[in-house]
Amino acid sequence: MNKKGKKISLLRYWTTRYLITLVLGLIVVGILSVIWLRQTNLEHRLDMTRYLGQEISDRFVETQSGQMVPQGGIFDYIEQRQGILDTELDPIIYIVDRSGRILSNPLKRNPFSFDIFPVSLLENNSDVQRIQLASGEETYLVKTAIEAEGGTAGWVVVIQSTGQLTQMNEEYRLLAIMLVSLALIGWAVIYVLSKRLSRPIQDVATAARHVQEEDYDFTLPADIKEREVHELVHSFREMSGRLQELERLRLELLAGVTHELKTPVTSMTGLIQAVRDDVVTGEEAKEFLDVSLNEANRMQTMVADLLEFNSFSAHTVPISADNYNLNTLLTEIIHQWKVANDEESLQLSLHTLEEPVFVNIDSMRLQQIIVNLLNNAKQALNAEGTIDVRLYNKDNDTAGIDIADNGPGISEDEQHLIFERFFRGENKKYNTHGLGLGLPFSKIIARSMNGDLVLTESREGKTVFTLEMPKYQE
């Protein structure tokens, strides 16, 4: 965000900051490179200056009867060696004897005001010295000994300006070209990569605006190599698909609730109208009123389910937990359900464990889950078939309750939706009354008791729901 509060694009944000970072980094690299090049160039040219002094000593100084005799031609030699030194040098050259007396100054340049060369400079053990001339100019002095009759007869002294020794205009140009090229290439690379990275994010932002307007007709790129961006796009695609599915379920809910409430209201209105108009009398009128009362109770149950659903959705499921032997509790729940659902063509079997299994749960909530699962199995079987309830140890810490039936099963297309609120499968939508809240309720209740409810298996002839409950640990 800039100073005016306007958002900055990802492309501009990263390219600008990367370019600033790159330029600062290249400036630091440039400074260090200049220092290194100056030092390297200085050492190289000092070596060449030593070579020059040695050449003059060997070729232009002769020793006759113990005396040094400088020869001519040094100036022409210097001009010929300009290419070797790779710069326009203007050295000061002296040929001096051991006492410092200047025997020759071939280039006719003498920065000193006396004819005797400073002996202190000659007696210094170092062959390279940094000195300052009387004019204030910084220079390097390189001396080369002239050997004669087993000893040092004198020296060839070469004085060269520091500026000339470190001069490297061509190197500066090459370094500048290299740094500018690196900056441009780096900026171009980060621009391309940032643009590639920002494109799918921009697509997701555009798709989000479509979803906000309840328009799910959009496409997102699929061939994304970056893992994080791929996960972002994939997650958004799944989220939008889920939102679309929930929107469809919401519309079905409105239609379903309207149908479920309209049907008993219409039935009740007709029956009560018939009784009021004396269309029916006596026992038949009482029967009409009983039917109207049953329809009113069904409406009351649906309204209660909706109110309870709001409470459950807010994660405020009231739980009153206590320790129970799951063998005993499950036996009682199954017995009560059998008494209320005495169907000769429906076979219900229960398998418990020989050893007691203790859990810390709300018995009423557990009964609510088991009864709902048994009712669903009964509806799937049309009251004709077998239901098998089996208690077992899932592991050392969890007990499992499998509720299986031999009904037609749940289609694969619907299995991932059965725990969605208000979802009702195609087989139940037109054959069974309800709001599609039973399984979502049961799953929320199971999780509120630190357990879970899952669909373990569903196919033609077998459907298994598993209720998992944590064992009580003393």
Side-chain angles (χ1 to χ4, degrees):
M1 183 180 292
N2 58 20
K3 294 181 179 180
K4 296 181 180 179
K6 185 178 180 181
K7 299 294 183 180
I8 303 174
S9 68
L10 180 66
L11 181 63
R12 179 182 175 187
Y13 180 89
W14 283 114
T15 53
T16 303
R17 279 154 180 76
Y18 179 80
L19 182 60
I20 293 174
T21 305
L22 180 63
V23 170
L24 292 177
L26 291 178
I27 289 175
V28 173
V29 171
I31 293 173
L32 295 177
S33 299
V34 168
I35 295 174
W36 180 78
L37 285 173
R38 284 174 61 89
Q39 185 64 30
T40 302
N41 206 41
L42 175 63
E43 293 176 356
H44 171 69
R45 289 180 177 175
L46 286 175
D47 290 339
M48 297 302 296
T49 303
R50 291 190 188 94
Y51 171 77
L52 175 64
Q54 190 63 49
E55 284 283 293
I56 294 174
S57 173
D58 294 339
R59 297 178 58 178
F60 298 97
V61 178
E62 293 183 358
T63 304
Q64 298 177 357
S65 302
Q67 299 293 325
M68 294 187 304
V69 180
Q71 304 295 314
I74 295 178
F75 182 78
D76 295 333
Y77 171 75
I78 294 295
E79 288 186 341
Q80 293 174 2
R81 290 296 184 268
Q82 292 294 332
I84 298 176
L85 298 177
D86 195 26
T87 186
E88 294 293 333
L89 297 181
D90 188 18
I92 301 171
I93 300 177
Y94 295 101
I95 299 176
V96 300
D97 60 12
R98 294 180 60 183
S99 61
R101 184 166 58 91
I102 299 175
L103 302 179
S104 176
N105 182 10
L107 300 184
K108 309 301 182 183
R109 299 181 64 230
N110 184 11
F112 302 103
S113 59
F114 39 79
D115 295 333
I116 301 299
F117 198 86
V119 178
S120 60
L121 297 178
L122 298 177
E123 292 177 348
N124 193 303
N125 293 329
S126 176
D127 60 343
V128 178
Q129 304 172 55
R130 186 169 182 175
I131 63 174
Q132 186 176 17
L133 301 182
S135 61
E137 182 181 11
E138 293 289 338
T139 61
Y140 278 88
L141 181 150
V142 179
K143 62 181 182 179
T144 303
I146 302 174
E147 303 294 336
E149 297 179 356
T152 301
W155 289 272
V156 174
V157 180
V158 181
I159 300 175
Q160 180 64 51
S161 168
T162 302
Q164 290 180 338
L165 287 174
T166 57
Q167 181 181 7
M168 48 179 188
N169 295 332
E170 186 65 25
E171 288 85 348
Y172 285 151
R173 284 193 294 270
L174 292 175
L175 180 62
I177 292 173
M178 182 187 68
L179 293 178
V180 171
S181 300
L182 287 176
L184 293 176
I185 293 173
W187 178 83
V189 169
I190 195 62
Y191 178 84
V192 172
L193 294 179
S194 297
K195 190 172 183 179
R196 175 184 173 85
L197 178 65
S198 63
R199 186 181 297 114
I201 297 177
Q202 181 62 41
D203 292 339
V204 171
T206 303
R209 287 194 293 269
H210 282 275
V211 173
Q212 186 178 8
E213 297 171 358
E214 298 184 4
D215 177 15
Y216 299 95
D217 185 16
F218 58 83
T219 58
L220 290 174
D223 55 339
I224 299 176
K225 297 181 180 179
E226 295 81 4
R227 183 183 63 185
E228 292 80 3
V229 180
H230 171 77
E231 291 177 353
L232 171 65
V233 174
H234 180 71
S235 299
F236 183 85
R237 186 184 292 111
E238 287 190 345
M239 182 196 70
S240 61
R242 180 174 174 81
L243 288 175
Q244 189 174 8
E245 182 65 28
L246 291 176
E247 178 66 15
R248 185 184 66 81
L249 294 177
R250 183 182 70 84
L251 295 176
E252 289 188 359
L253 165 66
L254 292 176
V257 171
T258 302
H259 174 75
E260 292 291 336
L261 295 179
K262 182 179 180 181
T263 300
V265 169
T266 302
S267 177
M268 291 166 56
T269 302
L271 294 173
I272 295 174
Q273 184 74 29
V275 174
R276 192 191 70 171
D277 295 341
D278 294 329
V279 175
V280 293
T281 58
E283 293 297 327
E284 191 175 7
K286 291 182 180 181
E287 184 179 352
F288 275 36
L289 291 176
D290 289 339
V291 173
S292 298
L293 183 60
N294 290 335
E295 293 294 332
N297 290 334
R298 188 159 67 88
M299 288 180 59
Q300 186 178 8
T301 301
M302 286 190 290
V303 173
D305 286 344
L306 289 173
L307 293 176
E308 192 174 14
F309 167 71
N310 290 331
S311 175
F312 284 10
S313 297
H315 303 287
T316 56
V317 182
I319 296 295
S320 179
D322 203 351
N323 298 330
Y324 294 95
N325 183 345
L326 198 53
N327 282 328
T328 304
L329 184 59
L330 188 59
T331 302
E332 294 177 357
I333 294 173
I334 297 300
H335 174 72
Q336 294 177 16
W337 189 85
K338 279 184 176 181
V339 172
N341 297 268
D342 187 11
E343 301 284 350
E344 294 183 0
S345 58
L346 185 65
Q347 302 297 322
L348 175 61
S349 59
L350 172 64
H351 305 275
T352 57
L353 295 172
E354 295 181 359
E355 298 293 331
V357 178
F358 291 95
V359 291
N360 186 262
I361 58 174
D362 187 327
S363 61
M364 296 300 295
R365 293 299 183 186
L366 178 65
Q367 182 175 6
Q368 188 176 355
I369 298 173
I370 298 296
V371 168
N372 180 65
L373 294 174
L374 292 175
N375 288 338
N376 286 349
K378 178 182 176 181
Q379 292 170 2
L381 295 170
N382 290 323
E384 294 183 1
T386 61
I387 302 175
D388 182 69
V389 180
R390 185 177 300 275
L391 173 63
Y392 62 96
N393 289 311
K394 191 173 181 65
D395 53 46
N396 293 333
D397 300 321
T398 308
I401 303 174
D402 282 353
I403 299 179
D405 64 72
N406 63 343
I410 304 171
S411 66
E412 292 185 5
D413 295 338
E414 296 180 350
Q415 289 183 14
H416 69 287
L417 296 172
I418 60 172
F419 291 107
E420 293 291 346
R421 299 155 186 176
F422 306 108
F423 174 76
R424 301 177 67 202
E426 292 296 327
N427 294 333
K428 297 178 64 176
K429 188 177 298 183
Y430 304 108
N431 299 325
T432 307
H433 293 293
L435 297 176
L437 294 175
L439 286 176
F441 275 176
S442 299
K443 192 174 186 70
I444 292 174
I445 294 171
R447 288 185 172 179
S448 68
M449 295 189 294
N450 300 318
D452 201 1
L453 175 63
V454 295
L455 175 63
T456 305
E457 179 184 1
S458 185
R459 54 182 171 81
E460 181 68 30
K462 186 175 184 181
T463 297
V464 182
F465 282 90
T466 300
L467 176 61
E468 301 173 356
M469 286 286 114
K471 296 179 182 179
Y472 173 69
Q473 305 290 341
E474 295 186 6

